[in-house]
């Protein structure tokens, strides 16, 4: 018998079978590993959102108000300048945009590099620390210097420049009795069992005073750090309610009609899915944190601020 006859080895068929088995084992193992990686990413992103929420509360405790959104992409809140008309609230009467990360000293983007979206209730952007703001108790006047009559001004907050309370119609700061106007739901109104988490449609209102949103790993409806806008989500979905294009957001655009949606993530899109009453929900990866009026007022009182 020759030396060659004594040698043994695997045939190509045997090698193929071994590789197939190894491949199947790896596929089975990679599924849980990939899921754990996704959970880790989500948790890391949640930490950024929680940091933004804490920064907003700290800002309010220091300044007696919440910041306006950043509309230009420079990270600085866009607020009406001292002495401007009106000398109160956010520039252009717009209360939704990017989280003002420079003003707050937090990260600009979420874990996936998309800027955080931020909505604030206009009532809570008022401040009495500006010496050029005239605050009084005369209804029907705005806060310009000197105070002048504002056509159609009523103690109901319409138009901008009027406050929302009858007891102190021209208060320069928000008051303990003020409530948020941002609705938050755990699903669309057409979905059976869906409820408000923060409800601005009831009297008295109990909407959120501020909301910070991450568009998640698919980035749908978001804006990149360099200002590039990502494609918007499919119409009618929960993600679509969370992410209108920044250029289309007007003052009050989200009130009642478009609540922010907060629900568990879903990383697939079942056939025939519907977020408004269907049996199967659609893909969803947004993460949202919000602040209620009670939480904000409590933090400010703990910090020693006196509110009316």
């Amino acid at each position: 018998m020759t030396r060659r006859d004594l040698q043994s080895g695997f045939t190509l068929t045997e090698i193929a079978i071994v590789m197939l088995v190894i491949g199947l084992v790896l596929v089975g193992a990679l599924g849980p590993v990939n899921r754990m990686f996704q959970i880790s990413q989500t948790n890391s992103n949640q930490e950024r959102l929680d940091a933004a929420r804490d920064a907003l509360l700290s800002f309010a405790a220091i300044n007696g108000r919440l910041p306006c959104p950043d509309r230009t992409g420079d990270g600085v809140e866009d607020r009406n300048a001292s002495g401007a008309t009106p000398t109160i609230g956010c520039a252009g009467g717009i209360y939704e945009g990017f989280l003002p990360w420079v003003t707050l000293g937090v990260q600009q983007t979420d874990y996936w590099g998309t800027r955080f979206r931020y909505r604030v209730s206009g009532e809570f952007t008022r401040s009495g620390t500006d010496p050029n703001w005239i605050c009084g108790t005369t209804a029907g006047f705005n806060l310009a210097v000197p105070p002048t009559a504002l056509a159609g001004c009523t103690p109901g907050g319409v138009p901008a420049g009027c406050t929302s309370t009858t007891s102190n119609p021209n208060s320069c700061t928000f008051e303990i009795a003020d409530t948020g106007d941002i609705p938050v739901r755990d699903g669309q109104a057409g979905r059976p069992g869906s409820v408000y988490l923060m409800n601005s449609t009831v009297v008295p209102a109990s909407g959120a005073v501020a909301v910070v949103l991450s568009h998640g790993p698919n980035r749908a409806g978001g804006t990149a750090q360099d200002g590039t806008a990502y494609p918007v989500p499919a119409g009618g979905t929960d993600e679509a309610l969370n992410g209108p294009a920044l250029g289309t957001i007007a003052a009050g655009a989200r009130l009642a009609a478009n609540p922010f949606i907060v629900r568990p993530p879903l990383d697939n899109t079942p056939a025939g899915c519907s977020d408004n009453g269907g049996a199967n929900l659609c893909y969803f990866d947004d993460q949202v944190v919000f602040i209620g009026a009670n939480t904000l007022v409590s933090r400010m009182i703990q910090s020693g601020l006196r509110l009316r």
Side-chain angles (χ1 to χ4, degrees):
M1 182 176 295
T2 65
R3 180 179 178 86
R4 184 176 182 179
D5 293 332
L6 292 174
Q7 291 179 333
S8 62
F10 292 108
T11 66
L12 290 177
T13 302
E14 290 171 333
I15 293 175
I17 293 174
V18 171
M19 296 299 293
L20 176 62
V21 171
I22 293 175
L24 292 174
V25 171
L26 289 176
V27 169
L30 286 177
V33 171
N34 184 56
R35 182 57 182 161
M36 291 177 62
F37 182 61
Q38 291 176 341
I39 293 174
S40 176
Q41 290 180 322
T42 300
N43 291 341
S44 296
N45 192 56
Q46 187 64 47
E47 290 177 359
R48 297 193 185 194
L49 283 167
D50 292 340
R53 181 178 183 273
D54 290 342
L56 287 169
L57 290 171
S58 296
F59 181 95
I62 295 171
N63 297 280
R65 63 174 177 87
L66 286 169
C68 291
D70 163 32
R71 297 284 301 176
T72 62
D74 61 0
V76 179
E77 65 166 335
D78 290 317
R79 182 174 178 80
N80 289 327
S82 172
T85 303
T87 58
I88 191 169
C90 303
I94 305 298
Y95 295 94
E96 184 167 341
F98 302 125
L99 182 72
W101 70 89
V102 172
T103 299
L104 293 172
V106 297
Q107 296 190 69
Q108 173 184 173
T109 69
D110 63 13
Y111 183 90
W112 300 277
T114 305
R115 288 175 179 165
F116 287 115
R117 185 179 296 275
Y118 170 62
R119 171 89 184 193
V120 62
S121 179
E123 195 74 8
F124 292 82
T125 62
R126 298 182 296 174
S127 173
T129 59
D130 188 332
N132 290 323
W133 289 1
I134 303 299
C135 303
T137 58
T138 304
F141 283 75
N142 65 12
L143 303 182
V145 181
T148 56
L150 186 64
C153 182
T154 63
V158 180
C162 303
T163 66
S164 65
T165 59
T166 57
S167 60
N168 192 9
N170 283 335
S171 167
C172 276
T173 59
F174 66 82
E175 301 157 0
I176 292 179
D178 290 339
T179 57
D181 62 6
I182 309 172
V184 180
R185 293 184 63 98
D186 64 359
Q188 296 186 37
R191 182 188 310 163
S194 172
V195 297
Y196 278 103
L197 303 178
M198 302 296 294
N199 193 350
S200 61
T201 67
V202 296
V203 179
S206 60
V209 300
V211 171
V212 182
L213 169 107
S214 163
H215 293 280
N218 76 346
R219 305 178 178 89
T223 303
Q225 184 170 341
D226 63 2
T228 301
Y230 292 110
V232 298
T237 62
D238 287 342
E239 285 203 337
L241 288 184
N242 279 348
L246 279 175
T248 65
I249 297 175
R254 235 187 238 285
L255 303 185
N258 288 341
F260 283 92
I261 303 298
V262 180
R263 68 175 176 89
L266 181 65
D267 58 7
N268 62 82
T269 304
C273 70
S274 172
D275 289 339
N276 193 27
N280 297 316
L281 297 179
C282 299
Y283 179 95
F284 186 84
D285 64 5
D286 293 353
Q287 289 178 259
V288 178
V289 294
F290 57 86
I291 300 173
N294 291 338
T295 300
L296 179 63
V297 170
S298 175
R299 172 65 69 89
M300 297 183 73
I301 292 176
Q302 289 175 7
S303 300
L305 292 177
R306 297 182 61 184
L307 302 177
R308 291 183 177 90

